[in-house]
Amino acid sequence: MGQFLARSLTSFCLWFAACLLTTSLFVSSAFAQTGSEGLSPTLSAIKKAHAVRLGYRESSPPFSFLDQAGRPIGYSLELCEAIVEEIGIEVDDPNLRIDYVKVTSDDRIEAVLQNKIDLECGSTTANAERGKRVAFSPLMFVAGTKLMVPKASNVRSLTDLKGKTIVVTKGTTNEQAIQAADKKLLLGLNIVTAPDHEQSFQMVNDGKADAFATDDILLYGLIARHKAQEYFRVVGDYLSYDPYGIMFRKGEPQLAAVVERAFRKLGSNRDLIPLYNKWFTARLPTGERLNVPISLQLEEAFKAMDDSPGANN
């Protein structure tokens, strides 16, 4: 597992470096591809509608979830709101409306591809396979697949689930990770899927599954949201390594440049770490507290986005 984490960290560093290089190239080429021709397709549609459509998740705390009044809130949505401000500057419309569109793990990529949303503001892993179809913002979080089990369970790792039922949320990288581990370790798992994280959580809560596999931070968020710390725990080694990003349409360098610029402004203003702390260490608007301090990798990634003079001195 130590070798896996080392390889994962190397992959993370390569992915992040490639992400910065790619977005920098987008910035350089954006003006060449638009210029006198006007705005890119997405930005043109936003300007015409005076609105940006944000895809949100109902049960991915603290990234994207609903408050007590049923309104979408979360870390990812605040990042998207900063991007919306930058879009307003780009299209010369500072009063853009935000339209919230519900998406799930299974339909979020198609929602981007089919032009149903402009930005996906959830808890989406940015990997090479998905990068062939959609574009991603710079890194906003790093997570990994772990297991949620009842505290009364004897399960400490994936191998303890041999022959048992494990639930994963449909359309996630966690589903792929569990299937790969099951095949490699010959565990004979009964792998079932649920449409969203809340339903996956409820399957374990109702005794219909022995464990729920998803990103560790989402498990902690769901347990805290349900005030279920006495009943469930997160166990096991990391079964995957998942860098998160805001998702948007591929092939629009002007839009990519706007997203990149929004992140760099947040970095230059030193807003990224306080924003992280607001959602991961402070008490959430819904009352719970996750107490998940920022990782060294993510803190360094945020500092790398600070392009103000003297930032690296």
Side-chain angles (χ1 to χ4, degrees):
M1 185 56 63
Q3 291 179 346
F4 167 77
L5 289 176
R7 290 195 302 270
S8 297
L9 182 57
T10 300
S11 298
F12 157 75
C13 293
L14 291 173
W15 174 86
F16 182 63
C19 189
L20 286 179
L21 175 60
T22 302
T23 49
S24 296
L25 290 174
F26 280 161
V27 172
S28 299
S29 62
F31 299 102
Q33 295 196 24
T34 56
S36 61
E37 298 176 4
L39 299 169
S40 70
T42 296
L43 294 177
S44 179
I46 287 172
K47 184 175 180 65
K48 184 176 181 180
H50 303 288
V52 182
R53 296 162 301 169
L54 302 185
Y56 73 93
R57 302 287 297 281
E58 287 190 329
S59 54
S60 290
F63 299 93
S64 181
F65 60 113
L66 301 178
D67 65 11
Q68 291 94 331
R71 295 170 299 198
I73 60 171
Y75 172 68
S76 300
L77 285 164
E78 279 213 45
L79 288 171
C80 280
E81 288 165 8
I83 296 172
V84 171
E85 288 186 16
E86 199 63 32
I87 290 175
I89 295 173
E90 187 75 8
V91 303
D92 194 24
D93 187 347
N95 299 309
L96 290 172
R97 184 179 74 251
I98 292 178
D99 292 338
Y100 294 97
V101 181
K102 176 186 171 183
V103 297
T104 67
S105 294
D106 198 34
D107 68 14
R108 56 189 164 176
I109 294 177
E110 292 304 317
V112 173
L113 295 175
Q114 295 174 10
N115 198 29
K116 294 180 180 178
I117 59 175
D118 301 308
L119 300 169
E120 190 268 338
C121 317
S123 51
T124 299
T125 299
N127 57 28
E129 180 183 352
R130 288 173 173 171
K132 296 175 183 177
R133 308 177 67 198
V134 294
F136 287 96
S137 72
L139 181 75
M140 68 173 191
F141 192 79
V142 183
T145 305
K146 285 198 173 188
L147 307 171
M148 185 193 82
V149 298
K151 275 198 171 180
S153 168
N154 293 323
V155 173
R156 296 291 185 274
S157 67
L158 185 65
T159 54
D160 294 329
L161 287 166
K162 187 172 184 177
K164 295 185 178 181
T165 298
I166 184 168
V167 62
V168 292
T169 304
K170 188 176 181 182
T172 61
T173 54
N174 317 108
E175 181 180 6
Q176 299 169 13
I178 293 300
Q179 289 173 344
D182 181 42
K183 183 177 180 180
K184 179 180 180 180
L185 300 174
L186 304 176
L187 298 176
L189 296 172
N190 176 28
I191 303 172
V192 298
T193 62
D196 209 346
H197 298 316
E198 178 64 25
Q199 289 91 329
S200 296
F201 177 91
Q202 290 300 333
M203 285 194 68
V204 179
N205 188 57
D206 297 340
K208 296 179 181 179
D210 299 289
F212 169 28
T214 195
D215 293 346
D216 54 341
I217 186 62
L218 299 179
L219 294 174
Y220 290 126
L222 286 164
I223 291 172
R225 189 180 186 192
H226 286 275
K227 297 178 174 59
Q229 291 89 341
E230 295 182 11
Y231 306 103
F232 299 103
R233 54 192 168 86
V234 178
V235 301
D237 294 326
Y238 281 112
L239 302 170
S240 69
Y241 194 76
D242 304 295
Y244 287 2
I246 301 297
M247 186 166 53
F248 54 97
R249 270 178 289 286
K250 191 178 178 68
E252 294 195 36
Q254 188 182 17
L255 177 59
V258 171
V259 174
E260 164 81 0
R261 195 161 65 238
F263 268 76
R264 289 205 173 275
K265 281 188 177 180
L266 289 171
S268 297
N269 294 333
R270 312 294 203 278
D271 288 333
L272 285 169
I273 293 177
L275 181 61
Y276 177 96
N277 291 334
K278 172 182 176 180
W279 292 100
F280 293 89
T281 64
R283 190 173 300 279
L284 297 176
T286 43
E288 59 270 26
R289 188 192 297 268
L290 299 185
N291 290 321
V292 179
I294 191 168
S295 67
L296 177 62
Q297 298 99 319
L298 188 61
E299 186 173 9
E300 288 302 314
F302 284 170
K303 288 179 179 178
M305 281 184 268
D306 181 358
D307 59 1
S308 59
N312 299 315
N313 291 345

